[in-house]
């Protein structure tokens, strides 16, 4: 089963080298455990553009989809046998200690 | 829940006793909640006809499992013709092979523990855990569960479908957790059972026969759990529910009015249940792995063994609430501890403690009832009257409202 772990956190506006290192460690652990499929950090939500098409016309909005305190800041795609394992992996994501990680199964196509 | 029908219909009794066990094995084999449930319903319908004609088989469970698996294979075959998924075909082949190994008169394995842990998985919303547990383990119909929780059958049905979808789509595993995880996951299971019990016991939203039997369902399920997993906290929960349930009849008088524990006729307490609960609790406490349910059972046991309200060992009850607070530091525990302290020290001392949590518990009806009682015992009648009025306005239970109204009338 593939799961996506969406990492939501408050945006601090600065890069914490300790956090960077913690993510490096975590990614390494996921690769070695055979769970890692993909994963990336995202640019801050102020760089986001929302795109929608209405009546054939493309409409743009500056900023993220929802203006909440915690914003999507990165993701992992993990291969896990079941939800318990996916939760175990998600709980180790450094951002889970300060924010929230949403775990969603990916539809097999 | 079908007590009326089970008395006259032996088939209903067999279904009720065996369905959860059969379902638990079937889910493991077909790996799909919904399919297993539908197939079991088919098998039950088949059983009604055949058992009435030929008499019930030696092992109803094995018969039902064989029939249900056959029905599941039929359903899978029909679905597979349309979808032709490789995994479905593989499962079908396995099921057809596995079926030959089952002897119809052999006892079937007990997989209910897996079912319990899956239904009570913390990734499901709490109301969904409760509903799913009542549906699959207690065999209540969707309508019955809806009535017990005062929502429509359609709403309850959606809640169940959503939960089952999540189990499948998110791959919530069908297994008993292992290692360090067990304690945490067991706590989730115990909470669900206690919630079912409490819903029937406190009847906050009015009384009905369906709701009262939730207590019996919770006790029955708790016995199964403790038998399959004799953890001291599982025993603690069962002991606590037995001790509470022992007082059930005494909680209402001949007119159906609510009677608080201090005014209950103790001769109406069920001595057999008290005895069972106390023995079980002592056995669990002897394992020296205390937990919140064992402590709450101990508090209930102290009430049960007191010959009168005034002879209750309030000092020890206050100490137990303090111990409970160490494990679960909540405002509700503080409130209960304060009530115990009012009988050991002074109502004023208790009131001071209550006021440390009164803001946090402002929306909690028992806070205002307790404050009203303490204020009146302190002689502060005006404040007490205000608190009684607040408690009355917040109570959803008519007999409790009447009780509080009488107290209010006695003030002036």
């Amino acid at each position: 089963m593939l799961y996506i772990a969406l990492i939501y956190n408050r945006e601090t506006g600065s890069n914490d080298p300790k956090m960077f290192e913690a993510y490096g460690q975590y990614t390494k652990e996921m690769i070695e455990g055979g769970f890692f499929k993909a994963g990336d950090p995202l640019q801050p939500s102020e760089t986001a553009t929302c795109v929608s098409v209405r009546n054939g016309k493309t409409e743009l909005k500056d900023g993220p989809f929802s203006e909440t305190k915690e914003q999507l800041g990165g993701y992992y795609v993990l291969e896990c046998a079941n939800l318990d394992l996916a939760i175990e992996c998600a709980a180790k994501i450094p951002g889970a200690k300060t924010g929230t990680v949403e775990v969603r199964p990916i539809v097999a196509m | 829940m079908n007590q009326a029908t089970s008395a006259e219909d032996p088939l209903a009794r067999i279904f009720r006793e065996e369905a959860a066990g059969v379902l638990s094995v079937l889910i493991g084999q077909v790996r799909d909640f919904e399919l297993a449930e539908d197939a079991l319903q088919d098998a039950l319908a088949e059983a009604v006809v055949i058992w009435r004609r030929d008499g019930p088989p030696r092992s109803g469970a094995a018969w039902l499992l064989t029939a249900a698996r056959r029905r599941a294979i039929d359903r899978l075959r029909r679905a597979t013709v349309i979808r032709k998924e490789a995994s479905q075909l593989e499962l079908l082949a396995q099921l057809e092979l596995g079926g030959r190994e089952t002897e119809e008169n052999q006892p079937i394995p007990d997989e209910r523990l897996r079912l319990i842990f899956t239904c009570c998985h913390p990734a499901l919303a709490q109301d969904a855990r409760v509903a799913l547990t009542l549906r699959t383990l207690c065999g209540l119909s969707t309508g019955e569960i809806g009535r017990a929780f005062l929502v429509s059958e359609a709403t309850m049905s959606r809640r169940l479908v959503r939960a089952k979808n999540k189990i499948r789509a998110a791959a919530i595993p069908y297994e008993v957790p292992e290692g360090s995880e067990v304690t945490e996951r067991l706590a989730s299971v115990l909470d669900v059972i206690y919630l079912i019990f409490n819903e029937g016991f406190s009847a906050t939203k009015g009384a009905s026969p369906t709701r009262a039997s939730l207590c019996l369902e919770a006790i029955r399920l708790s016995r199964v759990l403790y038998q399959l997993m004799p953890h001291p906290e599982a025993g603690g929960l069962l002991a606590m529910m037995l001790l509470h349930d022992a007082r059930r009849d005494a909680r209402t008088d001949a007119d159906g009015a609510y009677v608080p524990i201090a005014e209950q006729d103790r001769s109406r307490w069920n001595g057999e249940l008290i005895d069972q609960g106390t023995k079980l609790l002592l056995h669990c406490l002897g394992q020296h792995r205390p937990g919140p349910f064992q402590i709450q059972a101990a508090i209930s046991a102290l009430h049960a063994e007191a010959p009168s309200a005034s002879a209750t060992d309030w000092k020890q009850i206050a100490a137990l609430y303090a111990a409970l607070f160490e494990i679960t530091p909540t405002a509700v525990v503080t409130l209960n501890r304060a009530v115990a302290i009012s009988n050991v020290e002074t109502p004023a001392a208790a009131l001071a403690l209550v006021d440390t949590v009164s803001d946090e518990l402002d929306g909690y009806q028992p806070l205002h009832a307790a404050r009203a009682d303490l204020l009146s015992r302190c002689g502060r009648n005006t404040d007490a009257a205000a608190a009684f009025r607040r408690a009355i306005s917040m109570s959803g239970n008519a007999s409790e409202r009447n009780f509080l109204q009488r107290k209010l009338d006695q003030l002036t």
Side-chain angles (χ1 to χ4, degrees):
Chain A
M1 281 277 300
L2 287 180
Y3 295 86
I4 190 163
L6 302 161
I7 307 157
Y8 289 87
N9 252 306
R10 273 169 191 262
E11 296 178 314
T12 55
S14 63
N15 286 324
D16 177 0
K18 269 195 202 132
M19 198 51 128
F20 190 78
E21 201 192 307
Y23 270 102
Q25 274 288 331
Y26 173 75
T27 306
K28 193 165 160 261
E29 189 187 334
M30 288 299 107
I31 293 169
E32 283 169 359
F35 301 113
F36 184 88
K37 285 280 158 191
D40 296 286
L42 304 180
Q43 295 283 359
S45 63
E46 61 184 35
T47 65
T49 308
C50 286
V51 182
S52 52
V53 179
R54 298 287 177 273
N55 302 320
K57 191 172 168 294
T58 301
E59 292 168 11
L60 301 182
K61 182 187 142 276
D62 174 38
F65 178 67
S66 60
E67 300 280 352
T68 50
K69 275 188 198 140
E70 296 194 319
Q71 287 291 340
L72 182 63
Y75 74 94
Y76 281 93
V77 174
L78 303 167
E79 166 117 54
C80 300
N82 59 48
L83 184 66
D84 281 358
L85 277 169
I87 290 171
E88 211 180 303
C89 290
K92 291 180 189 161
I93 294 177
K97 286 195 183 69
T98 49
T100 305
V101 178
E102 180 178 332
V103 176
R104 289 268 284 268
I106 291 176
V107 177
M109 301 288 277
Chain B
M1 195 106 334
N2 297 318
Q3 271 133 0
T5 44
S6 66
E8 61 212 35
D9 188 351
L11 289 193
R13 187 184 52 79
I14 298 175
F15 289 174
R16 205 181 136 61
E17 284 170 4
E18 306 287 4
V22 174
L23 186 64
S24 70
V25 178
L26 195 60
I27 292 173
Q29 292 177 349
V30 306
R31 295 176 231 157
D32 186 312
F33 238 90
E34 196 103 57
L35 174 63
E37 256 199 321
D38 290 344
L40 179 59
Q41 287 306 319
D42 291 347
L44 290 171
E46 197 180 337
V48 170
V49 178
I50 294 176
W51 297 9
R52 281 237 168 84
R53 194 190 60 204
D54 305 342
R58 209 161 359 134
S59 165
W63 191 99
L64 285 170
L65 181 60
T66 307
R69 185 172 37 227
R70 210 158 40 220
R71 294 302 193 124
I73 291 171
D74 289 346
R75 280 173 176 269
L76 265 175
R77 261 204 209 109
R78 280 200 300 270
T80 314
V81 170
I82 306 162
R83 285 189 300 192
K84 279 211 171 69
E85 282 174 30
S87 62
Q88 298 263 7
L89 289 169
E90 190 195 317
L91 175 60
L92 202 48
Q94 272 183 21
L95 275 176
E96 284 175 341
L97 277 175
R100 292 192 205 125
E101 290 159 17
T102 317
E103 300 275 339
E104 284 213 1
N105 287 317
Q106 290 296 310
I108 67 167
D110 194 332
E111 307 271 3
R112 280 176 298 178
L113 210 48
R114 288 165 82 185
L115 188 55
I116 291 172
F117 275 96
T118 305
C119 289
C120 298
H121 197 284
L124 299 169
Q126 190 150 55
D127 56 3
R129 286 181 229 166
V130 168
L132 208 53
T133 300
L134 285 170
R135 177 78 198 92
T136 59
L137 284 147
C138 303
L140 266 62
S141 73
T142 310
E144 283 172 325
I145 306 167
R147 279 194 294 285
F149 289 88
L150 304 182
V151 301
S152 70
E153 185 168 349
T155 303
M156 189 49 79
S157 173
R158 275 195 299 274
R159 194 176 291 174
L160 284 164
V161 167
R162 209 179 137 239
K164 282 181 276 190
N165 275 344
K166 181 163 183 184
I167 291 173
R168 181 179 49 229
I172 289 179
Y174 190 60
E175 48 187 48
V176 177
E178 285 175 3
S180 59
E181 229 192 322
V182 176
T183 315
E184 224 169 287
R185 291 283 306 278
L186 180 65
S188 169
V189 172
L190 298 179
D191 281 346
V192 166
I193 298 176
Y194 184 40
L195 237 119
I196 293 171
F197 181 84
N198 236 352
E199 201 60 35
F201 195 71
S202 59
T204 49
K205 297 161 201 155
S208 80
T210 322
R211 297 168 60 79
S213 62
L214 287 178
C215 293
L216 299 177
E217 292 297 341
I219 289 173
R220 212 172 58 88
L221 184 56
S222 185
R223 282 189 203 278
V224 171
L225 175 67
Y226 184 63
Q227 183 200 331
L228 297 173
M229 187 180 255
H231 187 286
E233 269 297 271
L237 171 65
L238 176 56
M240 185 191 74
M241 294 193 300
L242 292 170
L243 289 161
H244 278 260
D245 206 45
R247 299 200 293 267
R248 186 178 7 174
D249 290 344
R251 291 171 87 235
T252 44
D253 65 15
D255 305 322
Y258 168 73
V259 184
I261 187 165
E263 292 166 31
Q264 282 170 17
D265 173 2
R266 293 177 184 229
S267 69
R268 291 179 67 201
W269 288 0
N270 185 325
E272 201 187 311
L273 288 180
I274 291 175
D275 198 44
Q276 260 187 46
T278 311
K279 278 196 183 121
L280 175 59
L281 174 65
L282 288 174
H283 173 75
C284 294
L285 289 174
Q287 295 174 52
H288 305 290
R289 286 156 73 197
F293 284 117
Q294 291 171 80
I295 295 175
Q296 290 175 82
I299 292 167
S300 204
L302 285 172
H303 282 297
E305 71 176 30
S308 69
S310 57
T312 306
D313 189 349
W314 286 107
K315 206 169 169 183
Q316 188 153 355
I317 290 177
L320 284 168
Y321 274 119
L324 185 58
F325 189 81
E326 293 289 313
I327 309 172
T328 47
T330 66
V332 172
V333 174
T334 301
L335 176 65
N336 286 317
R337 189 172 146 236
V339 172
I341 283 175
S342 78
N343 295 304
V344 184
E345 298 173 27
T346 59
L351 197 57
L353 185 58
V354 166
D355 283 336
T356 63
V357 294
S358 56
D359 282 346
E360 190 181 334
L361 293 181
D362 192 55
Y364 183 66
Q365 192 268 351
L367 169 95
H368 299 285
R371 273 196 85 232
D373 176 60
L374 292 172
L375 285 164
S376 76
R377 283 159 67 191
C378 289
R380 291 167 58 184
N381 282 3
T382 317
D383 294 336
F388 272 124
R389 284 193 199 96
R390 187 82 200 278
I392 290 165
S393 74
M394 288 170 77
S395 171
N397 182 290
S399 75
E400 191 193 38
R401 272 200 302 275
N402 293 336
F403 166 77
L404 292 168
Q405 185 64 49
R406 281 201 306 279
K407 286 275 178 189
L408 174 61
D409 295 342
Q410 284 162 17
L411 274 183
T412 43

